[in-house]
Amino acid sequence: QVQLVESGGGSVQAGGSLRLSCAASIYTSSFTCMGWFRQAPGKEREGVATIYSGGSTNYGDSVKGRFTISRDNAKKTLYLQMNSLKPEDTAMYYCAADRAGVGVCRSRPPYEYNYRGQGTQVTVSS
């Protein structure tokens, strides 16, 4: 059974940084795509970042230039480095992954991937 467990969330002031981690129960090289999405209270889920098996990445417009997604297949871990955090980044952040084909992966936002973690809270104060 595939499990994804996020960690690294917390409270930080605006302008600060956090690094989220997502530990997978299987080698991350098994996934065609992995990503992060977030959801703030009263708001819709938002895709934050995605990384594909070939290494290419994709980011939501609101985080481009501030967030970086990466993965360490040997450690079975996905990361999200978040810099220059803003209060509007406050949300529950979730890790997600899928083993579908590349075309299917690219057609879906991370919150529609087959495997999802339980989330880690990020709070940014002004």
Side-chain angles (χ1 to χ4, degrees):
Q1 184 177 356
V2 175
Q3 291 185 323
L4 302 173
V5 180
E6 302 94 337
S7 62
S11 297
V12 64
Q13 289 192 327
S17 298
L18 283 173
R19 188 176 80 156
L20 305 183
S21 298
C22 171
S25 59
I26 64 173
Y27 282 103
T28 50
S29 55
S30 300
F31 299 116
T32 311
C33 48
M34 299 188 75
W36 295 91
F37 67 96
R38 65 188 182 186
Q39 188 165 26
K43 295 188 176 181
E44 294 186 352
R45 292 172 298 181
E46 177 188 10
V48 174
T50 303
I51 186 166
Y52 301 96
S53 54
S56 62
T57 57
N58 191 35
Y59 295 93
D61 288 341
S62 61
V63 306
K64 281 180 182 177
R66 299 188 297 122
F67 290 10
T68 302
I69 188 172
S70 63
R71 70 188 196 183
D72 187 328
N73 290 333
K75 294 184 177 179
K76 299 188 285 186
T77 302
L78 178 74
Y79 302 100
L80 184 68
Q81 178 66 44
M82 305 186 296
N83 299 328
S84 302
L85 283 161
K86 305 175 181 180
E88 51 264 43
D89 293 319
T90 295
M92 186 72 81
Y93 283 72
Y94 299 88
C95 167
D98 209 308
R99 291 190 279 191
V102 172
V104 174
C105 267
R106 290 189 177 273
S107 69
R108 293 176 183 167
Y111 49 82
E112 293 183 5
Y113 290 172
N114 198 28
Y115 307 106
R116 295 180 289 266
Q118 295 300 307
T120 186
Q121 177 68 38
V122 171
T123 302
V124 184
S125 57
S126 57

